[in-house]
Protein backbone atom coordinates (compact mmCIF):
# COMPACT_ATOMS: atom_id res chain seq x y z
CA UNK A 1 0.00 0.00 0.00
CA UNK A 2 2.98 2.30 -0.26
CA UNK A 3 3.15 4.87 -3.02
CA UNK A 4 6.80 5.65 -2.47
CA UNK A 5 8.85 2.58 -1.58
CA UNK A 6 9.83 2.80 2.08
CA UNK A 7 7.89 6.06 2.25
CA UNK A 8 4.64 7.24 3.66
CA UNK A 9 1.51 5.08 3.37
CA UNK A 10 -0.66 7.30 1.22
CA UNK A 11 -4.00 5.99 -0.09
CA UNK A 12 -4.61 7.68 -3.42
CA UNK A 13 -6.06 5.05 -5.76
CA UNK A 14 -7.94 1.77 -5.49
CA UNK A 15 -5.16 0.37 -7.69
CA UNK A 16 -2.96 0.19 -4.61
CA UNK A 17 -5.02 -2.67 -3.18
CA UNK A 18 -4.23 -6.23 -4.27
CA UNK A 19 -6.58 -9.12 -3.43
CA UNK A 20 -4.22 -10.32 -0.68
CA UNK A 21 -4.08 -6.87 0.91
CA UNK A 22 -7.87 -6.66 0.62
CA UNK A 23 -8.18 -10.04 2.38
CA UNK A 24 -6.06 -8.78 5.26
CA UNK A 25 -7.92 -5.49 5.46
CA UNK A 26 -11.33 -7.18 5.44
CA UNK A 27 -10.29 -9.66 8.14
CA UNK A 28 -9.19 -6.65 10.18
CA UNK A 29 -12.52 -4.88 9.45
CA UNK A 30 -14.37 -8.00 10.70
CA UNK A 31 -12.33 -7.75 13.89
CA UNK A 32 -13.06 -4.00 14.15
CA UNK A 33 -16.76 -4.81 13.86
CA UNK A 34 -16.39 -7.10 16.89
CA UNK A 35 -14.42 -4.41 18.74
CA UNK A 36 -17.36 -2.06 18.28
CA UNK A 37 -19.49 -4.45 20.36
CA UNK A 38 -17.20 -4.38 23.38
CA UNK A 39 -14.96 -2.12 25.42
CA UNK A 40 -11.38 -2.78 24.29
CA UNK A 41 -8.08 -0.96 24.85
CA UNK A 42 -7.56 1.84 22.29
CA UNK A 43 -5.44 0.99 19.23
CA UNK A 44 -4.34 4.50 18.23
CA UNK A 45 -4.12 6.49 21.49
CA UNK A 46 -2.62 9.94 21.10
CA UNK A 47 -2.72 9.89 17.29
CA UNK A 48 -4.45 12.75 15.48
CA UNK A 49 -6.29 12.58 12.15
CA UNK A 50 -7.12 15.75 10.20
CA UNK A 51 -10.07 15.85 7.82
CA UNK A 52 -9.65 18.49 5.14
CA UNK A 53 -12.82 18.62 3.05
CA UNK A 54 -13.21 21.09 0.16
CA UNK A 55 -16.49 19.46 -0.95
CA UNK A 56 -19.64 18.53 0.98
CA UNK A 57 -19.77 15.19 2.77
CA UNK A 58 -21.86 13.48 5.41
CA UNK A 59 -20.97 9.79 5.40
CA UNK A 60 -17.31 9.89 4.45
CA UNK A 61 -16.24 12.57 6.92
CA UNK A 62 -18.36 11.42 9.84
CA UNK A 63 -17.50 7.74 9.40
CA UNK A 64 -13.77 8.55 9.19
CA UNK A 65 -14.06 10.67 12.34
CA UNK A 66 -16.11 8.04 14.13
CA UNK A 67 -13.57 5.37 13.11
CA UNK A 68 -10.66 7.41 14.49
CA UNK A 69 -12.46 8.18 17.75
CA UNK A 70 -13.41 4.53 18.19
CA UNK A 71 -9.74 3.62 17.77
CA UNK A 72 -8.95 5.96 20.66
CA UNK A 73 -7.43 8.65 18.43
CA UNK A 74 -8.37 12.30 18.08
CA UNK A 75 -9.68 14.40 15.22
CA UNK A 76 -9.15 17.94 13.93
CA UNK A 77 -11.45 18.93 11.14
CA UNK A 78 -12.42 21.52 8.55
CA UNK A 79 -15.69 20.53 7.01
CA UNK A 80 -15.80 23.45 4.58
CA UNK A 81 -12.17 24.03 3.70
CA UNK A 82 -13.06 25.93 0.53
CA UNK A 83 -14.57 28.79 2.54
CA UNK A 84 -13.13 28.41 6.03
CA UNK A 85 -9.50 27.51 5.41
CA UNK A 86 -6.79 29.77 4.00
CA UNK A 87 -7.82 28.58 0.52
CA UNK A 88 -10.14 31.58 0.48
CA UNK A 89 -7.03 33.78 0.95
CA UNK A 90 -5.37 32.09 -2.01
CA UNK A 91 -3.23 29.48 -0.26
CA UNK A 92 -2.39 26.52 -2.50
CA UNK A 93 -3.49 22.98 -1.64
CA UNK A 94 0.19 22.03 -1.39
CA UNK A 95 0.92 24.68 1.24
CA UNK A 96 -2.20 23.84 3.26
CA UNK A 97 -1.26 20.16 3.26
CA UNK A 98 2.32 20.93 4.39
CA UNK A 99 0.90 22.93 7.29
CA UNK A 100 -1.83 20.50 8.34
CA UNK A 101 0.75 17.71 8.11
CA UNK A 102 2.53 19.44 10.99
CA UNK A 103 -0.59 19.26 13.15
CA UNK A 104 -1.81 15.71 12.49
CA UNK A 105 -0.53 12.17 11.88
CA UNK A 106 -2.64 11.71 8.73
CA UNK A 107 -4.80 13.82 6.45
CA UNK A 108 -8.10 12.68 4.98
CA UNK A 109 -8.65 14.89 1.94
CA UNK A 110 -11.68 15.56 -0.26
CA UNK A 111 -11.20 17.98 -3.13
CA UNK A 112 -13.11 18.92 -6.31
CA UNK A 113 -10.10 18.48 -8.64
CA UNK A 114 -9.08 15.14 -10.11
CA UNK A 115 -5.49 14.41 -9.08
CA UNK A 116 -5.65 16.56 -5.92
CA UNK A 117 -4.88 13.62 -3.62
CA UNK A 118 -1.77 12.70 -5.61
CA UNK A 119 -0.63 16.33 -5.51
CA UNK A 120 -1.16 16.42 -1.75
CA UNK A 121 0.65 13.10 -1.25
CA UNK A 122 3.66 14.42 -3.16
CA UNK A 123 4.30 17.12 -0.54
CA UNK A 124 2.70 15.82 2.65
CA UNK A 125 4.92 14.84 5.59
CA UNK A 126 2.17 12.43 6.81
CA UNK A 127 -0.07 9.89 5.02
CA UNK A 128 -2.78 11.37 2.80
CA UNK A 129 -6.00 9.41 2.33
CA UNK A 130 -8.05 10.28 -0.75
CA UNK A 131 -11.68 10.79 0.30
CA UNK A 132 -12.72 11.78 -3.23
CA UNK A 133 -10.85 13.84 -5.85
CA UNK A 134 -13.33 15.36 -8.28
CA UNK A 135 -14.51 12.79 -10.81
CA UNK A 136 -11.31 10.80 -10.22
CA UNK A 137 -11.44 8.24 -7.45
CA UNK A 138 -12.87 7.49 -4.03
CA UNK A 139 -10.84 4.47 -2.95
CA UNK A 140 -12.09 4.14 0.63
CA UNK A 141 -15.70 4.07 -0.57
CA UNK A 142 -14.70 1.26 -2.93
CA UNK A 143 -13.17 -0.62 0.01
CA UNK A 144 -16.42 -0.50 1.95
CA UNK A 145 -18.38 -1.34 -1.19
CA UNK A 146 -16.30 -4.44 -1.83
CA UNK A 147 -16.45 -5.39 1.85
CA UNK A 148 -20.24 -5.11 1.63
CA UNK A 149 -20.40 -7.38 -1.44
CA UNK A 150 -18.26 -9.95 0.36
CA UNK A 151 -20.45 -9.70 3.49
CA UNK A 152 -23.74 -9.89 1.59
CA UNK A 153 -22.90 -12.51 -1.04
CA UNK A 154 -20.00 -14.37 0.58
CA UNK A 155 -17.75 -14.16 -2.50
CA UNK A 156 -15.88 -11.77 -4.79
CA UNK A 157 -15.34 -14.06 -7.76
CA UNK A 158 -17.76 -14.93 -10.58
CA UNK A 159 -19.82 -11.78 -9.97
CA UNK A 160 -22.35 -10.28 -12.34
CA UNK A 161 -22.42 -6.58 -11.51
CA UNK A 162 -24.65 -3.87 -12.94
CA UNK A 163 -23.07 -0.41 -12.73
CA UNK A 164 -25.88 2.12 -13.05
CA UNK A 165 -26.31 5.89 -13.18
CA UNK A 166 -23.59 8.48 -13.77
CA UNK A 167 -20.69 6.30 -14.87
CA UNK A 168 -18.81 9.28 -16.37
CA UNK A 169 -18.51 11.36 -13.21
CA UNK A 170 -19.11 8.85 -10.41
CA UNK A 171 -15.74 8.49 -8.71
CA UNK A 172 -17.01 5.63 -6.53
CA UNK A 173 -17.72 3.65 -9.72
CA UNK A 174 -14.21 4.31 -11.04
CA UNK A 175 -12.59 3.03 -7.84
CA UNK A 176 -14.91 0.04 -7.37
CA UNK A 177 -14.26 -1.13 -10.94
CA UNK A 178 -10.52 -1.07 -10.22
CA UNK A 179 -11.03 -3.35 -7.23
CA UNK A 180 -13.55 -5.71 -8.86
CA UNK A 181 -11.48 -6.19 -12.01
CA UNK A 182 -8.86 -8.07 -10.00
CA UNK A 183 -11.27 -10.95 -9.37
CA UNK A 184 -11.92 -13.89 -11.66
CA UNK A 185 -15.09 -14.29 -13.69
CA UNK A 186 -16.32 -10.69 -13.50
CA UNK A 187 -19.19 -9.72 -15.79
CA UNK A 188 -20.16 -6.05 -15.84
CA UNK A 189 -23.26 -4.48 -17.35
CA UNK A 190 -23.09 -0.73 -17.82
CA UNK A 191 -26.50 0.89 -17.52
CA UNK A 192 -26.70 4.67 -17.59
CA UNK A 193 -27.74 7.67 -19.68
CA UNK A 194 -25.90 7.82 -23.01
CA UNK A 195 -24.23 11.14 -22.11
CA UNK A 196 -22.80 9.73 -18.89
CA UNK A 197 -20.89 6.68 -20.13
CA UNK A 198 -17.94 5.12 -18.33
CA UNK A 199 -14.71 6.77 -19.62
CA UNK A 200 -13.26 4.75 -22.51
CA UNK A 201 -9.85 4.07 -20.84
CA UNK A 202 -11.68 2.54 -17.87
CA UNK A 203 -13.77 0.34 -20.19
CA UNK A 204 -10.59 -0.79 -21.97
CA UNK A 205 -8.80 -1.53 -18.68
CA UNK A 206 -11.82 -3.54 -17.54
CA UNK A 207 -11.78 -5.61 -20.75
CA UNK A 208 -8.02 -6.10 -20.50
CA UNK A 209 -8.49 -7.52 -17.02
CA UNK A 210 -10.52 -10.33 -18.60
CA UNK A 211 -13.93 -9.04 -17.51
CA UNK A 212 -16.91 -9.34 -19.82
CA UNK A 213 -18.44 -5.90 -20.45
CA UNK A 214 -21.78 -5.08 -22.03
CA UNK A 215 -24.13 -2.13 -22.13
CA UNK A 216 -27.85 -2.11 -21.45
CA UNK A 217 -30.54 0.37 -22.48
CA UNK A 218 -32.50 0.16 -19.28
CA UNK A 219 -32.12 -1.11 -15.76
CA UNK A 220 -35.04 -3.47 -16.24
CA UNK A 221 -33.07 -5.23 -18.97
CA UNK A 222 -29.74 -5.02 -17.12
CA UNK A 223 -30.73 -6.63 -13.83
CA UNK A 224 -31.79 -10.00 -15.22
CA UNK A 225 -29.36 -12.54 -13.74
CA UNK A 226 -27.40 -9.92 -11.77
CA UNK A 227 -25.75 -10.45 -8.37
CA UNK A 228 -25.15 -6.77 -7.57
CA UNK A 229 -26.82 -3.59 -8.77
CA UNK A 230 -24.58 -0.62 -7.96
CA UNK A 231 -26.74 2.46 -8.43
CA UNK A 232 -25.33 6.02 -8.42
CA UNK A 233 -26.56 9.60 -8.41
CA UNK A 234 -26.19 11.90 -11.41
CA UNK A 235 -23.36 14.20 -10.30
CA UNK A 236 -25.16 17.42 -11.21
CA UNK A 237 -22.42 19.54 -9.63
CA UNK A 238 -19.88 18.13 -12.11
CA UNK A 239 -21.93 18.76 -15.26
CA UNK A 240 -21.10 22.02 -17.01
CA UNK A 241 -24.76 22.40 -17.90
CA UNK A 242 -27.76 20.33 -16.88
CA UNK A 243 -28.30 17.60 -19.49
CA UNK A 244 -32.02 17.68 -20.03
CA UNK A 245 -32.02 14.48 -22.04
CA UNK A 246 -30.05 12.76 -19.31
CA UNK A 247 -32.83 13.77 -16.96
CA UNK A 248 -35.47 12.08 -19.07
CA UNK A 249 -33.16 9.15 -19.79
CA UNK A 250 -32.58 8.77 -16.08
CA UNK A 251 -36.11 7.42 -15.65
CA UNK A 252 -35.06 4.22 -17.44
CA UNK A 253 -32.29 3.70 -14.91
CA UNK A 254 -34.25 4.09 -11.66
CA UNK A 255 -34.51 1.22 -9.20
CA UNK A 256 -38.24 0.67 -8.89
CA UNK A 257 -40.46 -2.15 -7.67
CA UNK A 258 -40.70 -3.33 -11.26
CA UNK A 259 -36.89 -3.55 -11.47
CA UNK A 260 -36.81 -5.43 -8.15
CA UNK A 261 -39.29 -7.95 -9.54
CA UNK A 262 -36.84 -8.71 -12.39
CA UNK A 263 -33.82 -8.96 -10.05
CA UNK A 264 -32.82 -12.41 -8.69
CA UNK A 265 -33.84 -13.15 -5.09
CA UNK A 266 -30.21 -13.59 -4.03
CA UNK A 267 -28.99 -10.26 -5.45
CA UNK A 268 -28.29 -6.99 -3.61
CA UNK A 269 -28.89 -3.35 -4.48
CA UNK A 270 -26.14 -0.96 -3.41
CA UNK A 271 -25.61 2.82 -3.60
CA UNK A 272 -22.80 4.96 -2.16
CA UNK A 273 -25.49 7.52 -1.19
CA UNK A 274 -26.74 10.23 -1.14
CA UNK A 275 -29.60 9.24 -3.45
CA UNK A 276 -31.76 11.83 -5.12
CA UNK A 277 -34.58 9.87 -6.70
CA UNK A 278 -32.69 7.08 -8.48
CA UNK A 279 -33.95 4.49 -5.98
CA UNK A 280 -37.64 4.50 -5.18
CA UNK A 281 -37.97 4.61 -1.34
CA UNK A 282 -40.57 1.84 -1.70
CA UNK A 283 -37.63 -0.48 -2.35
CA UNK A 284 -36.05 0.25 1.07
CA UNK A 285 -38.01 -2.45 2.87
CA UNK A 286 -36.88 -5.15 0.41
CA UNK A 287 -34.24 -7.36 2.10
CA UNK A 288 -32.10 -7.04 -1.04
CA UNK A 289 -31.77 -3.26 -0.46
CA UNK A 290 -28.28 -3.23 1.07
CA UNK A 291 -27.42 0.49 0.87
CA UNK A 292 -27.99 1.35 4.53
CA UNK A 293 -26.04 -1.73 5.67
CA UNK A 294 -23.34 -0.66 3.17
CA UNK A 295 -23.10 2.83 4.71
CA UNK A 296 -22.74 1.31 8.19
CA UNK A 297 -19.76 -0.75 7.01
CA UNK A 298 -17.89 2.54 6.51
CA UNK A 299 -16.85 2.62 10.17
CA UNK A 300 -15.20 -0.82 10.61
CA UNK A 301 -13.57 -0.64 7.16
CA UNK A 302 -12.13 2.82 7.85
CA UNK A 303 -11.01 1.67 11.31
CA UNK A 304 -9.09 -1.17 9.65
CA UNK A 305 -7.57 1.22 7.12
CA UNK A 306 -6.53 3.80 9.74
CA UNK A 307 -5.02 1.08 11.95
CA UNK A 308 -2.97 -0.07 8.96
CA UNK A 309 -1.90 3.41 7.84
CA UNK A 310 -1.11 4.69 11.34
CA UNK A 311 -0.26 1.46 13.20
CA UNK A 312 3.27 0.18 13.78
C1 LIG B 1 -20.16 9.75 -3.03
C2 LIG B 1 -19.10 10.77 -3.38
O1 LIG B 1 -18.90 11.75 -2.66
O2 LIG B 1 -18.46 10.54 -4.39
N1 LIG B 1 -20.65 9.89 -1.74
C3 LIG B 1 -20.01 9.20 -0.73
O3 LIG B 1 -18.87 9.46 -0.42
N2 LIG B 1 -20.69 8.20 -0.14
C4 LIG B 1 -21.23 9.65 -4.03
C5 LIG B 1 -22.00 10.88 -4.43
O4 LIG B 1 -21.77 11.98 -3.94
O5 LIG B 1 -22.88 10.72 -5.28
Amino acid sequence: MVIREGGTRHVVSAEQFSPSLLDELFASADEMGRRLQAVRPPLLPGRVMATLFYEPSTRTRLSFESAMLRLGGQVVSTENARDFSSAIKGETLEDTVRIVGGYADCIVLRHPEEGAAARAAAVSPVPVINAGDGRGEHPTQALLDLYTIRAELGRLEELRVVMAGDLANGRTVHSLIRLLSQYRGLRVTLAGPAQLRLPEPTVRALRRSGAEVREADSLLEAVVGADVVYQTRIQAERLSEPISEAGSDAARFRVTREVMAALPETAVVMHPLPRVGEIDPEVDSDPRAAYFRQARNGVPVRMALLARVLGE
Side-chain angles (χ1 to χ4, degrees):
M1 196 163 78
V2 286
I3 275 215
R4 281 173 285 164
E5 211 43 61
T8 313
R9 297 168 188 174
H10 303 294
V11 177
V12 173
S13 167
E15 268 169 10
Q16 293 169 247
F17 294 85
S18 64
S20 65
L21 176 55
L22 290 164
D23 274 351
E24 283 177 33
L25 207 59
F26 292 164
S28 166
D30 289 343
E31 170 58 23
M32 295 299 177
R34 288 189 288 274
R35 284 184 77 88
L36 290 172
Q37 310 299 319
V39 181
R40 304 268 177 87
L43 285 176
L44 295 176
R47 309 307 295 274
V48 176
M49 175 189 85
T51 55
L52 191 55
F53 275 53
Y54 294 82
E55 274 191 344
S57 166
T58 305
R59 276 151 289 273
T60 304
R61 191 171 63 86
L62 291 183
S63 64
F64 257 114
E65 295 189 358
S66 173
M68 189 60 179
L69 294 172
R70 288 175 187 280
L71 289 165
Q74 317 254 352
V75 176
V76 291
S77 180
T78 75
E79 61 174 297
N80 184 356
R82 208 200 288 245
D83 297 332
F84 295 143
S85 77
S86 290
I88 198 94
K89 301 180 189 170
E91 186 169 60
T92 62
L93 173 67
E94 281 81 355
D95 278 0
T96 305
V97 163
R98 285 186 183 104
I99 300 301
V100 176
Y103 304 155
D105 301 304
C106 75
I107 300 174
V108 180
L109 174 73
R110 171 168 289 189
H111 197 277
E113 287 164 29
E114 191 168 348
R119 272 168 54 208
V123 299
S124 176
V126 298
V128 169
I129 301 178
N130 182 3
D133 63 328
R135 51 168 72 83
E137 281 212 50
H138 192 347
T140 69
Q141 177 70 42
L143 292 176
L144 77 93
D145 293 342
L146 199 72
Y147 181 77
T148 301
I149 295 173
R150 172 184 167 274
E152 297 280 334
L153 300 181
R155 70 176 202 280
L156 292 171
E157 294 189 334
E158 306 296 336
L159 289 176
R160 291 160 299 178
V161 180
V162 178
M163 289 285 181
D166 187 346
L167 308 180
N169 303 299
R171 55 196 174 194
T172 70
V173 168
H174 304 160
S175 287
L176 181 56
I177 282 180
R178 287 184 165 88
L179 292 188
L180 282 171
S181 65
Q182 303 189 77
Y183 293 89
R184 207 164 36 81
L186 177 65
R187 277 177 279 173
V188 177
T189 304
L190 305 172
Q195 302 89 330
L196 301 173
R197 284 219 171 83
L198 194 65
E200 212 28 65
T202 311
V203 176
R204 277 199 301 272
L206 194 51
R207 290 216 161 94
R208 261 201 317 276
S209 76
E212 217 177 274
V213 185
R214 66 176 192 107
E215 290 193 22
D217 271 343
S218 73
L219 207 46
L220 199 54
E221 173 200 329
V223 300
V224 175
D227 299 306
V228 176
V229 177
Y230 190 86
Q231 176 67 303
T232 60
R233 168 180 77 88
I234 293 189
Q235 308 277 301
E237 70 275 32
R238 303 200 200 288
L239 303 178
S240 45
E241 52 194 69
I243 307 176
S244 51
E245 213 192 308
S248 54
D249 242 22
R252 283 190 282 129
F253 300 102
R254 285 187 80 218
V255 178
T256 57
R257 282 226 287 233
E258 202 188 354
V259 166
M260 294 305 280
L263 182 70
E265 278 310 309
T266 49
V268 284
V269 178
M270 296 173 55
H271 192 308
L273 302 177
R275 63 172 159 182
V276 286
E278 61 280 352
I279 298 180
D280 190 328
E282 277 185 0
V283 169
D284 295 357
S285 55
D286 189 301
R288 295 169 293 176
Y291 29 93
F292 294 122
R293 297 192 290 275
Q294 177 187 354
R296 213 170 306 131
N297 287 335
V299 174
V301 169
R302 290 182 167 121
M303 285 172 78
L305 186 70
L306 287 170
R308 179 140 195 141
V309 168
L310 290 172
E312 290 319 311

